[in-house]
Amino acid sequence: MNSPMFTRTSTQESALQTNKVLRNTYALLSMTLLWSAVVAGVSMAMNLPRPGIIIMLVGFYGLLFLTEKNRNNSMGLVFTFLFTGFMGYTIGPILNAYIGAGMGDVILMALGGTALSFMAASAYALTTKRDLSMMGGLMLSLFVVLVVGMIASFFIQSTILHLALSSLFIVFSTMAILMTTQGIIRGGESNYISATITLYVSIYNIFISLLSILGIMNDD
């Protein structure tokens, strides 16, 4: 039978661990977002070309795999910054294209919308008493729909399909933010590198999707 003192100590240690993971996650997330912004700025200034689909897939999934594989050692941080730096590089050419088309205001609107979406989802996950893990099944279904939709988009050039996929990406990514944040609070996610990568990719997807939607809506 556990003594009250032991129970309190265990609870306090659990709370301290949760706070540590949450603090480390948001600190690392802030640094990676800043690093991505710097790399994106350099990419824009040097007018670097947009990577092809092969480079994009190899860079994304390769670095993502290496980051997750090394999440429990110091190399995990190295691969985290390599991954987020690569993603920042891919944003540079996209932003140059929008600026070249005279849609700089669309970039600002997408940034603002992304920030508001992240803050709102995080605030809800931090305060709600509802168990958000029930969204796991819905996320899996959405993931399948997104994969099928992306494959279809290679063969069907449709603005409606593109808008639908971008909207679903925003929903999927927002749900990922909700589940990851609550997972940290409830002890389901104890690795801050994995949590950071999930949140970063979600923010990246929301930004790119909003950029795409707003770009289409403002296209004359």
Side-chain angles (χ1 to χ4, degrees):
M1 182 174 179
N2 294 329
S3 66
M5 181 176 294
F6 179 78
T7 301
R8 286 196 299 271
T9 301
S10 298
T11 302
Q12 290 171 353
E13 289 179 353
S14 178
L16 288 173
Q17 179 62 25
T18 296
N19 290 334
K20 181 180 178 180
V21 174
L22 190 64
R23 183 174 62 252
N24 288 344
T25 298
Y26 278 94
L28 183 58
L29 180 63
S30 299
M31 289 187 284
T32 54
L33 289 173
L34 178 60
W35 168 240
S36 285
V38 171
V39 176
V42 172
S43 178
M44 293 173 67
M46 297 179 66
N47 200 27
L48 296 178
R50 188 173 182 178
I53 186 65
I54 300 300
I55 296 176
M56 185 69 184
L57 291 175
V58 172
F60 180 86
Y61 288 106
L63 290 171
L64 185 63
F65 171 78
L66 290 171
T67 303
E68 284 297 316
K69 183 178 176 62
N70 293 277
R71 63 180 183 171
N72 293 315
N73 58 63
S74 57
M75 285 302 296
L77 289 173
V78 174
F79 286 116
T80 295
F81 281 96
L82 286 175
F83 173 76
T84 54
F86 175 76
M87 299 307 288
Y89 154 61
T90 65
I91 293 176
I94 298 174
L95 298 183
N96 273 341
Y98 275 79
I99 292 175
M103 292 192 287
D105 57 326
V106 169
I107 296 175
L108 295 178
M109 292 172 64
L111 282 172
T114 302
L116 285 174
S117 297
F118 176 73
M119 289 188 293
S122 297
Y124 181 77
L126 289 169
T127 56
T128 186
K129 295 182 179 180
R130 294 182 59 186
D131 183 8
L132 301 178
S133 62
M134 61 182 180
M135 294 190 301
L138 179 56
M139 285 189 68
L140 179 59
S141 299
L142 272 177
F143 178 76
V144 173
V145 172
L146 285 170
V147 171
V148 173
M150 287 188 292
I151 294 174
S153 67
F154 285 107
F155 305 97
I156 304 173
Q157 299 300 318
S158 169
T159 300
I160 295 177
L161 176 60
H162 193 75
L163 285 171
L165 285 174
S166 296
S167 299
L168 287 177
F169 261 114
I170 292 175
V171 174
F172 181 85
S173 299
T174 301
M175 292 171 69
I177 293 172
L178 289 168
M179 286 188 62
T180 300
T181 304
Q182 189 177 82
I184 296 173
I185 298 172
R186 299 193 175 186
E189 178 57 82
S190 59
N191 188 286
Y192 72 97
I193 290 180
S194 291
T196 297
I197 289 298
T198 300
L199 294 176
Y200 175 90
V201 172
S202 299
I203 292 171
Y204 178 94
N205 285 335
I206 290 174
F207 174 66
I208 294 298
S209 298
L210 278 176
L211 198 62
S212 180
I213 292 172
L214 293 172
I216 291 174
M217 292 174 63
N218 284 270
D219 188 6
D220 296 326

mmCIF file of all heavy atoms in Angstrom, residues 133-164:
data_model
loop_
_atom_site.group_PDB
_atom_site.id
_atom_site.type_symbol
_atom_site.label_atom_id
_atom_site.label_comp_id
_atom_site.label_asym_id
_atom_site.label_seq_id
_atom_site.Cartn_x
_atom_site.Cartn_y
_atom_site.Cartn_z
ATOM 1 N N SER A 133 -7.402 12.153 -27.527
ATOM 2 C CA SER A 133 -6.808 10.991 -28.192
ATOM 3 C C SER A 133 -7.828 10.265 -29.083
ATOM 4 O O SER A 133 -7.458 9.497 -29.967
ATOM 5 C CB SER A 133 -6.249 10.006 -27.165
ATOM 6 O OG SER A 133 -7.276 9.501 -26.324
ATOM 7 N N MET A 134 -9.116 10.541 -28.841
ATOM 8 C CA MET A 134 -10.161 9.907 -29.645
ATOM 9 C C MET A 134 -10.096 10.363 -31.099
ATOM 10 O O MET A 134 -10.719 9.745 -31.981
ATOM 11 C CB MET A 134 -11.535 10.248 -29.072
ATOM 12 C CG MET A 134 -11.862 11.726 -29.062
ATOM 13 S SD MET A 134 -13.470 12.074 -28.332
ATOM 14 C CE MET A 134 -13.540 13.862 -28.485
ATOM 15 N N MET A 135 -9.347 11.440 -31.359
ATOM 16 C CA MET A 135 -9.227 11.918 -32.735
ATOM 17 C C MET A 135 -8.258 11.078 -33.557
ATOM 18 O O MET A 135 -8.125 11.288 -34.772
ATOM 19 C CB MET A 135 -8.757 13.379 -32.747
ATOM 20 C CG MET A 135 -9.754 14.359 -32.167
ATOM 21 S SD MET A 135 -9.293 16.092 -32.460
ATOM 22 C CE MET A 135 -7.690 16.155 -31.665
ATOM 23 N N GLY A 136 -7.577 10.127 -32.920
ATOM 24 C CA GLY A 136 -6.590 9.309 -33.614
ATOM 25 C C GLY A 136 -7.175 8.560 -34.800
ATOM 26 O O GLY A 136 -6.573 8.512 -35.880
ATOM 27 N N GLY A 137 -8.345 7.989 -34.614
ATOM 28 C CA GLY A 137 -8.984 7.247 -35.695
ATOM 29 C C GLY A 137 -9.363 8.152 -36.855
ATOM 30 O O GLY A 137 -9.185 7.798 -38.028
ATOM 31 N N LEU A 138 -9.867 9.345 -36.533
ATOM 32 C CA LEU A 138 -10.252 10.303 -37.571
ATOM 33 C C LEU A 138 -9.019 10.780 -38.330
ATOM 34 O O LEU A 138 -9.054 10.951 -39.555
ATOM 35 C CB LEU A 138 -10.986 11.485 -36.946
ATOM 36 C CG LEU A 138 -11.439 12.601 -37.901
ATOM 37 C CD1 LEU A 138 -12.327 12.026 -39.003
ATOM 38 C CD2 LEU A 138 -12.160 13.700 -37.130
ATOM 39 N N MET A 139 -7.913 10.977 -37.606
ATOM 40 C CA MET A 139 -6.673 11.416 -38.250
ATOM 41 C C MET A 139 -6.158 10.362 -39.223
ATOM 42 O O MET A 139 -5.649 10.690 -40.301
ATOM 43 C CB MET A 139 -5.608 11.731 -37.196
ATOM 44 C CG MET A 139 -5.826 13.028 -36.461
ATOM 45 S SD MET A 139 -4.409 13.464 -35.408
ATOM 46 C CE MET A 139 -3.156 13.802 -36.657
ATOM 47 N N LEU A 140 -6.287 9.097 -38.830
ATOM 48 C CA LEU A 140 -5.854 8.016 -39.715
ATOM 49 C C LEU A 140 -6.682 8.016 -41.004
ATOM 50 O O LEU A 140 -6.133 7.870 -42.102
ATOM 51 C CB LEU A 140 -5.983 6.670 -39.007
ATOM 52 C CG LEU A 140 -5.574 5.427 -39.828
ATOM 53 C CD1 LEU A 140 -4.120 5.535 -40.272
ATOM 54 C CD2 LEU A 140 -5.804 4.157 -39.009
ATOM 55 N N SER A 141 -7.984 8.214 -40.861
ATOM 56 C CA SER A 141 -8.855 8.266 -42.037
ATOM 57 C C SER A 141 -8.505 9.460 -42.923
ATOM 58 O O SER A 141 -8.444 9.347 -44.158
ATOM 59 C CB SER A 141 -10.320 8.368 -41.603
ATOM 60 O OG SER A 141 -10.695 7.243 -40.830
ATOM 61 N N LEU A 142 -8.239 10.607 -42.277
ATOM 62 C CA LEU A 142 -7.862 11.800 -43.028
ATOM 63 C C LEU A 142 -6.536 11.606 -43.757
ATOM 64 O O LEU A 142 -6.364 12.059 -44.889
ATOM 65 C CB LEU A 142 -7.746 13.003 -42.081
ATOM 66 C CG LEU A 142 -9.014 13.807 -41.819
ATOM 67 C CD1 LEU A 142 -8.741 14.903 -40.803
ATOM 68 C CD2 LEU A 142 -9.548 14.404 -43.101
ATOM 69 N N PHE A 143 -5.613 10.912 -43.097
ATOM 70 C CA PHE A 143 -4.307 10.655 -43.703
ATOM 71 C C PHE A 143 -4.461 9.839 -44.985
ATOM 72 O O PHE A 143 -3.834 10.149 -46.003
ATOM 73 C CB PHE A 143 -3.407 9.920 -42.710
ATOM 74 C CG PHE A 143 -2.058 9.560 -43.270
ATOM 75 C CD1 PHE A 143 -1.073 10.530 -43.405
ATOM 76 C CD2 PHE A 143 -1.767 8.258 -43.665
ATOM 77 C CE1 PHE A 143 0.177 10.218 -43.927
ATOM 78 C CE2 PHE A 143 -0.534 7.929 -44.186
ATOM 79 C CZ PHE A 143 0.449 8.915 -44.317
ATOM 80 N N VAL A 144 -5.309 8.825 -44.927
ATOM 81 C CA VAL A 144 -5.553 7.991 -46.117
ATOM 82 C C VAL A 144 -6.157 8.827 -47.235
ATOM 83 O O VAL A 144 -5.752 8.732 -48.403
ATOM 84 C CB VAL A 144 -6.481 6.813 -45.768
ATOM 85 C CG1 VAL A 144 -6.867 6.052 -47.035
ATOM 86 C CG2 VAL A 144 -5.811 5.876 -44.768
ATOM 87 N N VAL A 145 -7.128 9.684 -46.884
ATOM 88 C CA VAL A 145 -7.767 10.548 -47.878
ATOM 89 C C VAL A 145 -6.740 11.498 -48.501
ATOM 90 O O VAL A 145 -6.745 11.723 -49.728
ATOM 91 C CB VAL A 145 -8.907 11.364 -47.233
ATOM 92 C CG1 VAL A 145 -9.440 12.421 -48.215
ATOM 93 C CG2 VAL A 145 -10.036 10.444 -46.806
ATOM 94 N N LEU A 146 -5.846 12.042 -47.666
ATOM 95 C CA LEU A 146 -4.824 12.966 -48.159
ATOM 96 C C LEU A 146 -3.859 12.270 -49.117
ATOM 97 O O LEU A 146 -3.478 12.833 -50.147
ATOM 98 C CB LEU A 146 -4.063 13.580 -46.986
ATOM 99 C CG LEU A 146 -4.813 14.654 -46.188
ATOM 100 C CD1 LEU A 146 -4.060 14.996 -44.908
ATOM 101 C CD2 LEU A 146 -4.997 15.910 -47.043
ATOM 102 N N VAL A 147 -3.436 11.060 -48.754
ATOM 103 C CA VAL A 147 -2.516 10.314 -49.623
ATOM 104 C C VAL A 147 -3.163 10.042 -50.974
ATOM 105 O O VAL A 147 -2.556 10.264 -52.033
ATOM 106 C CB VAL A 147 -2.088 8.991 -48.953
ATOM 107 C CG1 VAL A 147 -1.323 8.120 -49.955
ATOM 108 C CG2 VAL A 147 -1.219 9.264 -47.733
ATOM 109 N N VAL A 148 -4.417 9.571 -50.949
ATOM 110 C CA VAL A 148 -5.141 9.294 -52.197
ATOM 111 C C VAL A 148 -5.321 10.585 -52.995
ATOM 112 O O VAL A 148 -5.143 10.609 -54.226
ATOM 113 C CB VAL A 148 -6.512 8.650 -51.903
ATOM 114 C CG1 VAL A 148 -7.325 8.529 -53.189
ATOM 115 C CG2 VAL A 148 -6.330 7.293 -51.248
ATOM 116 N N GLY A 149 -5.654 11.661 -52.289
ATOM 117 C CA GLY A 149 -5.857 12.947 -52.957
ATOM 118 C C GLY A 149 -4.590 13.474 -53.604
ATOM 119 O O GLY A 149 -4.627 14.016 -54.718
ATOM 120 N N MET A 150 -3.450 13.324 -52.911
ATOM 121 C CA MET A 150 -2.180 13.799 -53.471
ATOM 122 C C MET A 150 -1.787 13.000 -54.707
ATOM 123 O O MET A 150 -1.263 13.555 -55.679
ATOM 124 C CB MET A 150 -1.083 13.737 -52.406
ATOM 125 C CG MET A 150 -1.203 14.813 -51.337
ATOM 126 S SD MET A 150 0.230 14.875 -50.220
ATOM 127 C CE MET A 150 0.040 13.306 -49.354
ATOM 128 N N ILE A 151 -2.028 11.695 -54.673
ATOM 129 C CA ILE A 151 -1.739 10.865 -55.845
ATOM 130 C C ILE A 151 -2.635 11.287 -57.015
ATOM 131 O O ILE A 151 -2.175 11.417 -58.155
ATOM 132 C CB ILE A 151 -1.952 9.370 -55.521
ATOM 133 C CG1 ILE A 151 -0.918 8.910 -54.486
ATOM 134 C CG2 ILE A 151 -1.842 8.530 -56.787
ATOM 135 C CD1 ILE A 151 -1.133 7.497 -53.988
ATOM 136 N N ALA A 152 -3.901 11.540 -56.695
ATOM 137 C CA ALA A 152 -4.847 11.949 -57.739
ATOM 138 C C ALA A 152 -4.461 13.296 -58.343
ATOM 139 O O ALA A 152 -4.673 13.531 -59.539
ATOM 140 C CB ALA A 152 -6.258 12.017 -57.158
ATOM 141 N N SER A 153 -3.887 14.178 -57.516
ATOM 142 C CA SER A 153 -3.539 15.517 -58.002
ATOM 143 C C SER A 153 -2.440 15.489 -59.057
ATOM 144 O O SER A 153 -2.283 16.446 -59.822
ATOM 145 C CB SER A 153 -3.097 16.399 -56.825
ATOM 146 O OG SER A 153 -1.871 15.941 -56.262
ATOM 147 N N PHE A 154 -1.658 14.395 -59.111
ATOM 148 C CA PHE A 154 -0.636 14.275 -60.144
ATOM 149 C C PHE A 154 -1.259 14.036 -61.509
ATOM 150 O O PHE A 154 -0.665 14.345 -62.544
ATOM 151 C CB PHE A 154 0.326 13.128 -59.817
ATOM 152 C CG PHE A 154 1.311 13.448 -58.727
ATOM 153 C CD1 PHE A 154 1.178 12.883 -57.474
ATOM 154 C CD2 PHE A 154 2.362 14.322 -58.964
ATOM 155 C CE1 PHE A 154 2.087 13.178 -56.462
ATOM 156 C CE2 PHE A 154 3.271 14.624 -57.965
ATOM 157 C CZ PHE A 154 3.135 14.054 -56.702
ATOM 158 N N PHE A 155 -2.466 13.496 -61.511
ATOM 159 C CA PHE A 155 -3.132 13.168 -62.764
ATOM 160 C C PHE A 155 -4.301 14.097 -63.085
ATOM 161 O O PHE A 155 -4.674 14.258 -64.239
ATOM 162 C CB PHE A 155 -3.645 11.722 -62.725
ATOM 163 C CG PHE A 155 -2.577 10.712 -62.404
ATOM 164 C CD1 PHE A 155 -2.401 10.236 -61.110
ATOM 165 C CD2 PHE A 155 -1.733 10.246 -63.408
ATOM 166 C CE1 PHE A 155 -1.416 9.300 -60.815
ATOM 167 C CE2 PHE A 155 -0.734 9.321 -63.126
ATOM 168 C CZ PHE A 155 -0.573 8.847 -61.833
ATOM 169 N N ILE A 156 -4.853 14.715 -62.028
ATOM 170 C CA ILE A 156 -6.002 15.601 -62.219
ATOM 171 C C ILE A 156 -5.615 17.012 -61.791
ATOM 172 O O ILE A 156 -5.387 17.269 -60.607
ATOM 173 C CB ILE A 156 -7.216 15.130 -61.394
ATOM 174 C CG1 ILE A 156 -7.578 13.686 -61.737
ATOM 175 C CG2 ILE A 156 -8.403 16.055 -61.617
ATOM 176 C CD1 ILE A 156 -8.648 13.102 -60.836
ATOM 177 N N GLN A 157 -5.515 17.910 -62.740
ATOM 178 C CA GLN A 157 -5.199 19.301 -62.430
ATOM 179 C C GLN A 157 -6.501 20.056 -62.172
ATOM 180 O O GLN A 157 -7.161 20.518 -63.100
ATOM 181 C CB GLN A 157 -4.416 19.928 -63.588
ATOM 182 C CG GLN A 157 -3.089 19.251 -63.896
ATOM 183 C CD GLN A 157 -2.143 19.276 -62.705
ATOM 184 O OE1 GLN A 157 -2.027 20.281 -62.002
ATOM 185 N NE2 GLN A 157 -1.464 18.149 -62.468
ATOM 186 N N SER A 158 -6.866 20.129 -60.900
ATOM 187 C CA SER A 158 -8.142 20.752 -60.541
ATOM 188 C C SER A 158 -7.944 21.724 -59.386
ATOM 189 O O SER A 158 -7.369 21.365 -58.351
ATOM 190 C CB SER A 158 -9.159 19.675 -60.154
ATOM 191 O OG SER A 158 -10.310 20.240 -59.564
ATOM 192 N N THR A 159 -8.420 22.944 -59.573
ATOM 193 C CA THR A 159 -8.324 23.949 -58.506
ATOM 194 C C THR A 159 -9.154 23.538 -57.299
ATOM 195 O O THR A 159 -8.743 23.718 -56.151
ATOM 196 C CB THR A 159 -8.822 25.319 -59.024
ATOM 197 O OG1 THR A 159 -8.018 25.724 -60.130
ATOM 198 C CG2 THR A 159 -8.719 26.372 -57.923
ATOM 199 N N ILE A 160 -10.320 22.961 -57.547
ATOM 200 C CA ILE A 160 -11.191 22.522 -56.449
ATOM 201 C C ILE A 160 -10.511 21.427 -55.632
ATOM 202 O O ILE A 160 -10.557 21.435 -54.400
ATOM 203 C CB ILE A 160 -12.545 22.026 -57.010
ATOM 204 C CG1 ILE A 160 -13.302 23.183 -57.659
ATOM 205 C CG2 ILE A 160 -13.379 21.391 -55.900
ATOM 206 C CD1 ILE A 160 -14.611 22.778 -58.297
ATOM 207 N N LEU A 161 -9.869 20.469 -56.327
ATOM 208 C CA LEU A 161 -9.161 19.401 -55.629
ATOM 209 C C LEU A 161 -8.022 19.970 -54.801
ATOM 210 O O LEU A 161 -7.798 19.549 -53.654
ATOM 211 C CB LEU A 161 -8.621 18.382 -56.632
ATOM 212 C CG LEU A 161 -7.768 17.242 -56.063
ATOM 213 C CD1 LEU A 161 -8.571 16.420 -55.058
ATOM 214 C CD2 LEU A 161 -7.237 16.344 -57.182
ATOM 215 N N HIS A 162 -7.315 20.939 -55.362
ATOM 216 C CA HIS A 162 -6.193 21.565 -54.656
ATOM 217 C C HIS A 162 -6.683 22.292 -53.404
ATOM 218 O O HIS A 162 -6.062 22.194 -52.338
ATOM 219 C CB HIS A 162 -5.477 22.540 -55.590
ATOM 220 C CG HIS A 162 -4.159 23.005 -55.076
ATOM 221 N ND1 HIS A 162 -3.021 22.225 -55.069
ATOM 222 C CD2 HIS A 162 -3.792 24.181 -54.506
ATOM 223 C CE1 HIS A 162 -2.016 22.886 -54.543
ATOM 224 N NE2 HIS A 162 -2.464 24.088 -54.193
ATOM 225 N N LEU A 163 -7.782 23.009 -53.528
ATOM 226 C CA LEU A 163 -8.352 23.714 -52.373
ATOM 227 C C LEU A 163 -8.812 22.730 -51.302
ATOM 228 O O LEU A 163 -8.615 22.959 -50.101
ATOM 229 C CB LEU A 163 -9.517 24.590 -52.820
ATOM 230 C CG LEU A 163 -9.172 25.885 -53.559
ATOM 231 C CD1 LEU A 163 -10.435 26.529 -54.115
ATOM 232 C CD2 LEU A 163 -8.453 26.854 -52.618
ATOM 233 N N ALA A 164 -9.424 21.638 -51.747
ATOM 234 C CA ALA A 164 -9.911 20.630 -50.802
ATOM 235 C C ALA A 164 -8.745 19.989 -50.047
ATOM 236 O O ALA A 164 -8.811 19.818 -48.818
ATOM 237 C CB ALA A 164 -10.708 19.558 -51.547
#
